[in-house]
Amino acid sequence: MVKTRFAPSPTGYLHIGGARTALFSWAFARKQGGKFVLRIEDTDLERSTQQSVQAILDGMAWLGLDYDEGPYYQMQRLDRYQEIAEQLLTQGLAYQCYASKEELDTLREQQRLAGLKPRYDGRWRDSRQTPPAGVKPVVRLKTPQEGYVVFDDLVKGKISVANHELDDLVLLRSDGTPTYNFGVVLDDLDMGITHVIRGDDHVNNTPRQINILKALGASIPQYAHVPMILGADGERLSKRHGAVSVMHYRDQGYLPEALINYLARLGWSHGDEEIFSREQLIEWFDLTAISRSPAKFNPEKLTWLNQHYLKTADDTRLVELVMPFLLERSYHLPAAENLLKIVNLLKDRVGTIEELADASAYFFRTIEPPEALRTQYFTAEIRPVLEYLVDRLAQIEWQRETIHREIKQTVSSHNLKFPSLAMPLRVMVTGETQTPAIDAVLELLGKEETLHRLRGRMEIFPG
Ligand code: GLU
C-alpha cells in the first residue's frame, strides 16, 4: 500500500512551498488509495516552537489536508534513534567521533585554503586512539568509500552520486538528538513510507539517506523531488515576494479550495485544466506529471481563481466568512436576510472576502463622495431632477422593479439619458461610481435609508 508523508519542521508558519509539498503527498496517497502521514520534525530545539506546530496543524486543517496517521513528533522518538545508533555501532557500521568543533573548523579552513571541498576526513573512523576525557562523542555512519548511490527519482529521473563525494555523516549528535538525515530515515522506515515526496532542496540528502537505509538492510522507498517555487523575479520564493504564509491568505479572505487549486497547478498539470475540484485533482494526480522545472508563484492568478470560487460559493457560507471583516470594521449589520442579498449582489465583483467587506461598505454607513466626483456629478442642472425623483420614490412600494420604473420615468420626462441620472444618484447614495445596478443597490439599502441619504445630500449641490 502506498504511504506518503509530510514532514515539516516547526520553525515558522506553513508557507506556500510547504503546503504545495503537503498537497502533492496528500493527493498521491488519496489517488492511490493509500495513507498520508503527518510528522513534525522538531529536533532543532532552538528553532522549533509550539506556536509553529499549531500554525502547521491549523494550516493543514484549513486546507482540508487530512492525515491518516500522526502528527508524530520526532522528539518523542529519541529512544528509537538512540537504539538504532547503538545497533549500528555494535555492528561496526557506525563509529563514535570525538573531534571537537575547533578541530573540525581548522580542518575545514585547511581544506578551503587547499581549494578542496570541505568534508570530514574520517579521523575517528578506524581510530585506536583513547577517547579524550569528558568529551561526548557524536555517532557517524561508515559511509562506503567505493561505488555509487543510484536512484530513480520519479520527477528528476536517474541520479547517481559517487560515495567518495560523501563523507561520514553524523547520525546522532552528542546531546543524543538525531540529525535530520538519521531522523528522517528511521521515521520513514518505521512508518512504512513508500513514497518520499519533498522539495528538491533535499535531493542532495537522498544519497546519504539511502546509505543509512542500506546499512540498516532496509528497502529503499521511491523518491519524488519537487522543483522549487520561484517569485516573479526568478528568485526562490521568500518573504521578499510578499505573503508566503498560508494563513495570511485565509486571513485576507481567500477560500481554501482556491488555494488548493492554485497550489496544485504550481509545478503540476493535467492537460490545460486550470480550474478543478479537489475530487478531480485526486482523480488526475500523478507524480509523472510534475514538472521538472521550477514553478513561478503568481499572486494574480491565485486571486483570479479565488474570484471564480467566490462567484460559485454558497451565499450563507460567504455571509459567515465576511462577518468577522464587517465586525472588525464596526459596521452596524442589517438583518441576516439582507446580508445574504448583499453578498449575492457583490460576490462576482471581488477577488477576496476582504474586498467583499470593503465593497459592501456603503450598505452599512454613509460615505462622503470625494471632491472630484462631487464636482463631476453634482451639477446645478441635475439637482431638480433628483428632487423630482426623490418625491416619486417616496411614494412607491419599495422593490427593484418599481425603483427602476421611477428612474426611467424621471429620465424620460426630463429628456435625459439613463446614466446622466443614475450616476449622480449612485454617487450620492454610495459615494462611488462602481456598484451593481443602482435599482438593486437601492432596494437593498431600503426606502428609509435611501431617502434619508438623498435628502441629506441635497445641500451639497451648488446654487
Ligand atoms: N523537515 C524537513 C523540512 O521541513 C522535511 C524534509 C523531508 O521531507 O524529508 O524540510
Side-chain angles (χ1 to χ4, degrees), residues 386-435:
L386 278 161
E387 279 170 343
Y388 174 90
L389 176 69
V390 170
D391 284 344
R392 297 196 57 117
L393 290 178
Q395 290 164 40
I396 60 165
E397 201 187 315
W398 204 250
Q399 271 161 11
R400 186 171 177 180
E401 298 71 33
T402 50
I403 298 166
H404 186 77
R405 195 185 63 214
E406 292 309 326
I407 301 174
K408 276 210 102 138
Q409 199 282 332
T410 305
V411 164
S412 60
S413 65
H414 288 81
N415 263 331
L416 294 169
K417 293 223 164 65
F418 195 85
S420 52
L421 177 59
M423 280 312 267
L425 179 61
R426 173 178 280 124
V427 174
M428 272 177 97
V429 175
T430 69
E432 52 184 271
T433 54
Q434 305 284 328
T435 75

Side-chain angles (χ1 to χ4, degrees), residues 5 7-9 39 41 180 184 188 196-198 201-202 209:
R5 63 6 174 234
S9 306
R39 180 171 78 224
E41 306 207 321
Y180 155 71
V184 162
D188 285 343
V196 172
I197 302 167
R198 61 182 168 202
D201 46 337
H202 286 293
Q209 294 179 10

Side-chain angles (χ1 to χ4, degrees), residues 231-373:
D233 55 0
E235 296 288 320
R236 195 192 168 119
L237 187 68
S238 72
K239 274 192 200 156
R240 280 187 306 110
H241 298 99
V244 287
S245 149
V246 164
M247 287 325 230
H248 175 90
Y249 287 96
R250 180 197 65 179
D251 296 345
Q252 278 197 337
Y254 284 79
L255 298 177
E257 59 268 39
L259 193 53
I260 287 280
N261 190 156
Y262 181 70
L263 291 174
R265 285 288 290 107
L266 269 182
W268 175 84
S269 57
H270 180 76
D272 294 333
E273 304 286 349
E274 288 294 352
I275 296 179
F276 43 82
S277 67
R278 188 178 288 261
E279 290 69 35
Q280 284 169 312
L281 168 64
I282 293 175
E283 191 187 321
W284 296 336
F285 194 78
D286 187 357
L287 295 174
T288 55
I290 293 177
S291 158
R292 284 184 178 203
S293 37
K296 258 198 190 149
F297 185 68
N298 177 347
E300 288 85 39
K301 188 169 163 195
L302 171 57
T303 306
W304 172 77
L305 275 169
N306 202 48
Q307 214 156 11
H308 164 81
Y309 285 100
L310 283 175
K311 263 185 222 170
T312 48
D314 176 60
D315 293 343
T316 320
R317 176 180 174 211
L318 292 180
V319 165
E320 242 168 65
L321 290 173
V322 79
M323 201 69 100
F325 290 94
L326 300 178
L327 295 174
E328 193 183 279
R329 288 161 175 71
S330 310
Y331 289 158
H332 181 72
L333 301 184
E337 185 197 311
N338 274 359
L339 210 45
L340 268 176
K341 290 186 189 158
I342 290 172
V343 157
N344 184 274
L345 192 62
L346 296 171
K347 69 178 181 181
D348 54 0
R349 310 172 67 88
V350 293
T352 64
I353 302 279
E354 187 170 39
E355 282 177 27
L356 182 60
D358 289 337
S360 67
Y362 54 76
F363 283 109
F364 308 108
R365 58 185 181 89
T366 51
I367 295 172
E368 286 306 320
E371 187 59 38
L373 293 186

